[in-house]
Amino acid sequence: MKLDTSGLESFPSLILHGNDVAGEISAPPSFDLPNSNDFDGFLKEAIQMVKPAKGTTTLAFIFKEGVMVAADSRASMGGYISSQSVKKIIEINPYMLGTMAGGAADCQFWHRNLGIKCRLHELANKRRISVTGASKLLANILYSYRGMGLSVGTMIAGWDETGPGLYYVDSEGGRLKGTRFSVGSGSPYAYGVLDSGYKYDMSIEEASELARRAIYHATFRDGASGGVASVYYVGPTGWKKLSGDDVGELHYHYNPVTPSTTVEQEMVDAAAA
Amino acid sequence: MARYDRAITVFSPDGHLFQVEYALEAVRKGNAAVGVRGTDNVVLGVEKKSTAKLQDSRSVRKIVNLDNHIALACAGLKADARVLINRARVECQSHRLTVEDPCTVEYITRYIAGLQQKYTQSGGVRPFGLSTLIVGFDPYTGSPSLYQTDPSGTFSAWKANATGRNSNSIREFLEKNFKETAGQETVKLAIRALLEVVESGGKNIEVAVMTKEDGLRQLEEAEIDAIVAEIEAEKAAAEAAKKAPPKDT
């Protein structure tokens, strides 16, 4: 099986290309598959190994002013919370963001790699790459690794000449254009809040509050999501981190403890009444 | 000197790549081709050698499409041109597939020039014996462009240029007479330039105009004849004006 390993090359090898000038399409460098008796079983095990890390909640939506991107920050391995401070929103370049769900290493590496490709595109073509193009580049790479055990469920959000752009790209090779996405184990809860509160004509404050609330509610109900709710905004001048609130504190912000009468006082009042 | 042109990958002591220079010779023997950039269109004109009576002239189109918004004309070895054009067409579609956007004229020119350069730096192959004129509209800014590549793999953008037979005289003419034009004026300028070295008549020139809205349009022989007639009339009028006694102010 030949894979598209162009993402791993940092510099094109001149010696390699010298030999196949006569051919139409030069064969990319390839590597062998692991030797195992039960390849399917091996694959399943590999996927199971990274699966717990998809415990996460990330969301992104397009509205009148741009794109809002939010995520939690918890990493869990089964019942063990391995970290409460994972950066799940990856800065690809000053005007494009990617979210992390699935294998942390896979997401980080391929987003960094995508950043390289975007920069090279800029240098070669003297113009920024579109969100469409960037997401297509990532999707093509992930497609060529299909079935190899990569676990990536990411959203590419950015602002280009055509305005705000949002794409969902996953390791199965799927790529969807949309206006509202949520990815991860907490996504059903986030969708509930996001879909019921969404209006296209929101201000930046309203949108960031909606995103924050959606993440909070997901972390409240989903054990694999928690930590800090980060909210980023992508506008015409690039992305900007708006807030990063601990969800425990957010809980008391949304459900303030009202100072109520103590039990002793109640009993006294009852006797009086 | 003869020892240094056997294998392309060898420099001569005075820094020449002889195979590339011989390829340029092949270009100089090819049909004249001219390109002129206007403010709202780009025009390509190619010298057409008289077709044999039994030959179907439609099968020898010299100006071809690379994509909806990019066209190419060339001078030199036509068989090499076919290979290069096919690779360029695939690359245009490949770009659309990977980035979901049409490529810019500069991108495809860079690709073609890169391809031509590759064949000057490998063993056992010879360079492509053609220079190309690539025209089109930038899909983002909508501005027209004209680029030229040559067998060495260099490329640059031009307001107007010519390649092939007698390209020097055509270029001189263009340098003297070029001004920013639009629409039919650009077509006339291109044809006037070509007529400097080609026998006049619609039979001997092939002209195509690229506009943003309609893409590439090949001009009919009758249309070309009409424009040629206009040009001849203008020339005759200019001659007559020169010969007439100068009026006293």
Side-chain angles (χ1 to χ4, degrees):
Chain A
M1 253 198 277
K2 297 258 183 251
L3 294 169
D4 169 25
T5 49
S6 60
L8 296 170
E9 284 173 64
S10 33
F11 301 104
S13 160
L14 289 167
I15 309 154
L16 205 63
H17 284 299
N19 291 331
D20 49 44
V21 143
E24 288 278 299
I25 301 156
S26 58
S30 59
F31 51 84
D32 297 320
L33 291 171
N35 289 325
S36 74
N37 298 328
D38 175 22
F39 184 62
D40 280 338
F42 170 78
L43 205 59
K44 285 202 181 92
E45 273 179 69
I47 293 172
Q48 281 304 112
M49 211 166 66
V50 284
K51 238 191 177 157
K54 240 183 191 165
T56 190
T57 310
T58 60
L59 62 86
F61 59 89
I62 293 181
F63 66 112
K64 185 178 58 154
E65 306 281 347
V67 198
M68 204 54 81
V69 185
D72 75 314
S73 67
R74 175 177 291 185
S76 51
M77 294 190 333
Y80 174 69
I81 296 175
S82 44
S83 170
Q84 287 274 65
S85 51
V86 177
K87 270 193 73 173
K88 296 193 187 174
I89 297 182
I90 300 159
E91 297 144 12
I92 299 170
N93 61 39
Y95 54 96
M96 233 187 280
L97 293 173
T99 59
M100 179 198 292
D106 290 339
C107 288
Q108 266 180 8
F109 177 86
W110 288 111
H111 278 129
R112 284 288 293 270
N113 184 275
L114 181 63
I116 294 174
K117 286 216 156 120
C118 290
R119 180 63 182 143
L120 288 175
H121 179 101
E122 257 181 56
L123 288 170
N125 295 290
K126 293 184 214 148
R127 64 186 300 121
R128 280 186 183 164
I129 192 170
S130 59
V131 184
T132 316
S135 61
K136 196 83 191 251
L137 285 178
L138 182 64
N140 287 338
I141 293 178
L142 292 178
Y143 181 77
S144 72
Y145 282 93
R146 201 177 127 87
M148 305 273 103
L150 282 185
S151 172
V152 172
T154 182
M155 297 177 283
I156 304 290
W159 186 290
D160 59 32
E161 275 172 4
T162 58
L166 179 61
Y167 285 83
Y168 165 76
V169 178
D170 69 24
S171 46
E172 305 304 299
R175 174 175 168 268
L176 299 169
K177 183 174 157 81
T179 42
R180 298 203 295 272
F181 285 116
S182 177
V183 181
S185 56
S187 62
Y189 312 109
Y191 269 130
V193 174
L194 178 60
D195 288 341
S196 64
Y198 177 83
K199 284 193 311 290
Y200 181 75
D201 302 308
M202 279 189 285
S203 68
I204 298 177
E205 291 76 33
E206 290 174 325
S208 76
E209 180 54 30
L210 178 65
R212 200 174 312 119
R213 253 184 343 113
I215 295 285
Y216 157 72
H217 280 283
T219 61
F220 187 66
R221 287 292 175 184
D222 176 30
S225 302
V228 168
S230 317
V231 180
Y232 281 67
Y233 162 69
V234 190
T237 54
W239 59 258
K240 188 162 132 64
K241 179 162 184 179
L242 294 181
S243 63
D245 302 294
D246 182 288
V247 295
E249 282 168 30
L250 277 181
H251 174 81
Y252 291 107
H253 173 74
Y254 292 128
N255 310 289
V257 178
T258 48
S260 59
T261 55
T262 59
V263 174
E264 284 83 355
Q265 263 199 299
E266 266 182 22
M267 284 165 70
V268 166
D269 288 342
Chain B
M1 279 303 172
R3 287 208 307 279
Y4 297 101
D5 55 17
R6 194 139 298 197
I8 169 66
T9 47
V10 180
F11 272 110
S12 71
D14 55 346
H16 290 252
L17 283 172
F18 278 112
Q19 281 301 306
V20 175
E21 295 186 10
Y22 297 164
L24 280 158
E25 266 307 307
V27 170
R28 260 176 240 128
K29 291 201 165 33
N31 295 334
V34 72
V36 181
R37 188 185 78 191
T39 52
D40 65 350
N41 64 2
V42 211
V43 182
L44 281 173
V46 181
E47 175 192 357
K48 206 162 57 172
K49 273 208 279 280
S50 48
T51 47
K53 280 219 181 82
L54 296 172
Q55 193 177 58
D56 185 348
S57 57
R58 285 170 305 168
S59 67
V60 281
R61 281 263 167 262
K62 303 229 167 108
I63 305 175
V64 295
N65 256 324
L66 293 184
D67 200 342
N68 296 338
H69 60 300
I70 304 182
L72 174 149
C74 55
L77 271 49
K78 290 297 184 262
D80 287 2
R82 218 178 43 238
V83 170
L84 212 55
I85 289 167
N86 282 334
R87 300 275 278 274
R89 282 173 172 164
V90 170
E91 182 60 26
C92 280
Q93 295 310 309
S94 180
H95 185 277
R96 276 182 187 264
L97 192 60
T98 40
V99 206
E100 275 190 22
D101 258 330
C103 57
T104 56
V105 190
E106 202 252 340
Y107 177 90
I108 198 63
T109 309
R110 204 163 2 106
Y111 175 79
I112 291 176
L115 212 50
Q116 286 180 296
Q117 190 278 341
K118 225 190 269 204
Y119 282 69
T120 67
Q121 210 177 5
S122 308
V125 295
R126 62 162 176 82
F128 288 99
L130 68 146
S131 292
T132 67
L133 287 171
I134 300 167
V135 301
F137 281 84
D138 188 313
Y140 308 103
T141 61
S143 52
S145 349
L146 165 67
Y147 284 85
Q148 190 212 28
T149 72
D150 63 31
S152 63
T154 52
F155 73 94
S156 51
W158 294 77
K159 293 186 198 162
N161 201 0
T163 178
R165 211 204 315 266
N166 297 321
S167 55
N168 284 330
S169 357
I170 307 183
R171 209 171 299 122
E172 261 179 52
F173 174 85
L174 285 169
E175 276 174 22
K176 264 201 279 240
N177 295 288
F178 180 83
K179 47 185 203 299
E180 294 292 337
T181 49
Q184 195 69 327
E185 282 304 308
T186 324
V187 182
K188 257 206 238 169
L189 180 57
I191 296 182
R192 266 167 59 212
L194 206 46
L195 287 177
E196 291 284 303
V197 301
V198 172
E199 271 174 49
S200 73
K203 276 202 321 299
N204 303 311
I205 347 181
E206 191 178 309
V207 181
V209 187
M210 165 81 78
T211 47
K212 190 152 72 146
E213 300 77 34
D214 306 318
L216 188 70
R217 186 174 75 88
Q218 308 266 9
L219 265 54
E220 304 275 324
E221 211 179 284
E223 269 184 88
I224 302 177
D225 277 333
I227 301 176
V228 168
E230 253 184 75
I231 293 172
E232 308 266 274
E234 278 171 16
K235 250 199 246 179
E239 288 290 315
K242 256 196 261 173
K243 289 214 182 86
K247 292 199 171 80
D248 291 318
T249 44

